Amino acid sequence: MTGVKLLITLCIASSVLLGACQSASTYEKLDNGIVISVSKKDQNPQKIKLEVITEKIIHVSISPTDSFSHQKSLMLEDKTWAPVSWSVEENEDQITLKTKQVHTSVSVTTGEIVFTDTTGQIILQEKKNGAKTFTSKVIENETLFGIRQVFESPADEAFYGLGQHQNGEMNYKGKDVVLAQNNIVAAVPFLYSTKNYGLLWDNYSITKFGDAREFQPLSSLHLFSKTDNEGGLSADFYVGDSLLSSQLQNEIEYEFLETAAVENFPKKVAENGKVIWEGSFSSPNLGRHKFLLYASGYFKLWIDGNFIMDKWRQGWNPWFNKFDVNIKNGERHTIKIEWNPDGGAYISLKHLDPIPAEDQNRLTLSSESATQIDYYFVKGDNADDVIHGYRELTGKASLIPKWAFGFWQSRERYKTQ
């Protein structure tokens, strides 16, 4: 009997010790959060750090290696936040960091993250399987990563923010946005969700919201001329109303200085003429195809005989125009573009094959270069509360003086006094 008792005692002691060892290796406690080691080594994330900023703001860092970057954020206000009460709870595969406002749960096995309120209601959760992607690359002899983070998004969710863009879009759900500074664009990597949370994406390389793929040349489609010849669209060059020449073109690519129309077109066409591209296209890839028409000057666009766009932009201020075409089995769609360079220089048309609708409608952020994934989750009770969290992180903008309010006009430059 004594031997049996000894055996049972040893088993219990071993179990307790093993459990303590497992617990100790699962996460490390910090002054303001925890570091979790992901147990499946074939997963992209190796370590995940959760830091408590306020009761409503959690900083998430995800590293593909065994260490984290200590580089100071360029986005945060230089301040120290007051300590916040928080706790950690372990439940089988899950480790949950809790504040009085938000709970953040992480799967030890896969690294999947879920944000909930204190009642367990999901606010935001990662896509299962492959939510975080790291693609190794070498830039100027430094090993870095292209990164991507994907969250689920219910059908009734809308996204706002991301800065100031030029495509007439307000709700970015299901849309694609490039976050890069331009003459007419202000990129702000913060979005507000109608589910009353915000995300501040802490990365300084070119970032994309939505589909991160690069647009392809028009030749990625099957092209036909207006007389049904395969291989390209009909391109007719006019001076005034007189036809100067005709070509078969499988690309419309005059986007950059070295390819600008003013350099590659007959001078009279660029200054006082027009080009009409006309024909049809098809694709074996069914679904919603995306198109990007970049132009200065004056252009009109027809798809299947329907008048889609009619726009003019300054020659020194071209921009992108988006449209979609849903291609079904065996369909061919007609296209016509009429372009007057108006002394300007730029036009191009590019294309992207469909992706599944569920992927397009998820919340996806991708950046070209990083050492790790870094973002701040902001819970709010309403939109103003979420924006308050953004100001808490990045600092409060001072109001300009009263005398500075009024009509603002950009002339770009003044050549004389």
Side-chain angles (χ1 to χ4, degrees):
M1 194 67 180
T2 304
V4 173
K5 287 183 177 179
L6 179 60
L7 181 61
I8 293 173
T9 302
L10 288 172
C11 287
I12 293 173
S14 299
S15 298
V16 171
L17 183 60
L18 180 61
C21 291
Q22 288 175 336
S23 177
S25 64
T26 300
Y27 75 92
E28 171 192 353
K29 199 166 185 178
L30 309 174
D31 291 340
N32 64 337
I34 59 175
V35 173
I36 299 166
S37 297
V38 179
S39 61
K40 285 184 70 175
K41 295 306 177 186
D42 60 339
Q43 295 293 307
N44 253 318
Q46 297 297 312
K47 288 197 172 183
I48 297 173
K49 184 194 295 183
L50 305 178
E51 295 177 288
V52 178
I53 306 299
T54 72
E55 290 181 345
K56 293 183 177 182
I57 302 175
I58 305 297
H59 177 204
V60 180
S61 301
I62 304 163
S63 175
T65 68
D66 286 332
S67 62
F68 292 95
S69 170
H70 297 292
Q71 185 177 5
K72 188 176 180 180
S73 173
L74 301 177
M75 294 190 183
L76 299 192
E77 186 178 23
D78 189 11
K79 63 182 286 187
T80 301
W81 285 274
V84 173
S85 175
W86 56 274
S87 61
V88 181
E89 181 180 290
E90 291 188 79
N91 183 16
E92 297 179 352
D93 178 57
Q94 298 287 327
I95 294 179
T96 303
L97 184 148
K98 296 182 175 182
T99 73
K100 292 180 181 179
Q101 292 287 338
V102 62
H103 295 174
T104 308
S105 298
V106 180
S107 165
V108 176
T109 306
T110 65
E112 290 171 6
I113 300 174
V114 180
F115 299 93
T116 65
D117 62 20
T118 55
T119 69
Q121 185 72 30
I122 292 175
I123 305 171
L124 176 66
Q125 65 179 338
E126 290 186 336
K127 168 195 168 187
K128 291 189 178 298
N129 302 318
K132 299 177 277 282
T133 304
F134 296 86
T135 305
S136 181
K137 56 176 66 177
V138 177
I139 300 175
E140 295 185 353
N141 298 319
E142 183 179 0
T143 299
L144 296 167
F145 300 91
I147 58 174
R148 186 179 73 144
Q149 172 72 62
V150 185
F151 297 97
E152 297 292 355
S153 175
D156 61 345
E157 184 172 27
F159 298 120
Y160 300 98
L162 301 178
Q164 172 186 301
H165 302 277
Q166 296 285 322
N167 294 107
E169 297 167 334
M170 287 291 291
N171 176 10
Y172 290 120
K173 176 64 175 283
K175 306 293 186 182
D176 303 322
V177 185
V178 178
L179 299 180
Q181 295 295 129
N182 283 281
N183 180 31
I184 53 176
V185 170
V188 178
F190 181 80
L191 66 85
Y192 162 72
S193 163
T194 50
K195 299 299 180 182
N196 287 325
Y197 68 84
L199 279 183
L200 176 63
W201 183 255
D202 198 344
N203 185 277
Y204 322 120
S205 65
I206 292 178
T207 293
K208 292 184 178 181
F209 172 91
D211 190 348
R213 297 176 300 161
E214 294 293 331
F215 273 81
Q216 300 301 305
L218 195 60
S219 56
S220 57
L221 291 166
H222 293 163
L223 300 174
F224 304 86
S225 72
K226 64 183 179 181
T227 55
D228 217 28
N229 293 319
E230 192 170 357
L233 301 178
S234 301
D236 296 331
F237 295 80
Y238 289 84
V239 175
D241 293 325
S242 301
L243 180 62
L244 184 67
S245 64
S246 296
Q247 301 175 13
L248 188 69
Q249 293 189 342
N250 65 355
E251 292 184 15
I252 302 176
E253 182 53 83
Y254 305 99
E255 183 175 345
F256 303 105
L257 285 173
E258 60 269 22
T259 61
V262 73
E263 300 295 335
N264 292 279
F265 282 11
K267 186 175 181 181
K268 290 182 179 179
V269 174
E271 292 181 351
N272 187 35
K274 64 182 178 182
V275 186
I276 298 177
W277 288 275
E278 195 169 0
S280 60
F281 59 87
S282 67
S283 172
N285 302 313
L286 311 184
R288 174 191 168 202
H289 288 247
K290 304 175 190 177
F291 291 83
L292 205 58
L293 178 57
Y294 177 83
S296 62
Y298 184 31
F299 75 88
K300 298 179 181 179
L301 169 70
W302 292 261
I303 298 292
D304 295 329
N306 298 313
F307 195 22
I308 304 297
M309 291 183 190
D310 184 355
K311 291 188 176 183
W312 176 85
R313 290 194 76 96
Q314 301 96 327
W316 45 266
N317 206 8
W319 197 242
F320 300 95
N321 305 272
K322 306 175 184 178
F323 64 96
D324 300 333
V325 177
N326 187 29
I327 296 182
K328 299 177 182 178
N329 192 28
E331 282 186 345
R332 275 169 59 176
H333 295 266
T334 63
I335 183 171
K336 180 181 177 181
I337 301 170
E338 183 177 311
W339 181 54
N340 177 353
D342 194 26
Y346 306 102
I347 189 168
S348 71
L349 181 60
K350 296 180 180 179
H351 159 263
L352 260 184
D353 282 333
I355 61 171
E358 59 269 23
D359 290 338
Q360 184 66 53
N361 288 310
R362 289 187 173 106
L363 195 176
T364 303
L365 287 159
S366 310
S367 293
E368 289 188 354
S369 173
T371 55
Q372 62 193 29
I373 291 174
D374 265 300
Y375 65 86
Y376 294 81
F377 171 84
V378 181
K379 177 186 178 295
D381 298 324
N382 49 48
D384 188 57
D385 199 25
V386 173
I387 300 303
H388 171 79
Y390 173 71
R391 295 198 310 272
E392 181 69 34
L393 289 167
T394 61
K396 297 178 181 179
S398 300
L399 285 173
I400 60 176
K402 191 173 182 179
W403 60 263
F405 283 86
F407 180 67
W408 284 47
Q409 169 64 28
S410 170
R411 180 61 181 85
E412 189 186 29
R413 66 180 69 86
Y414 296 92
K415 295 183 178 180
T416 67
Q417 186 178 6

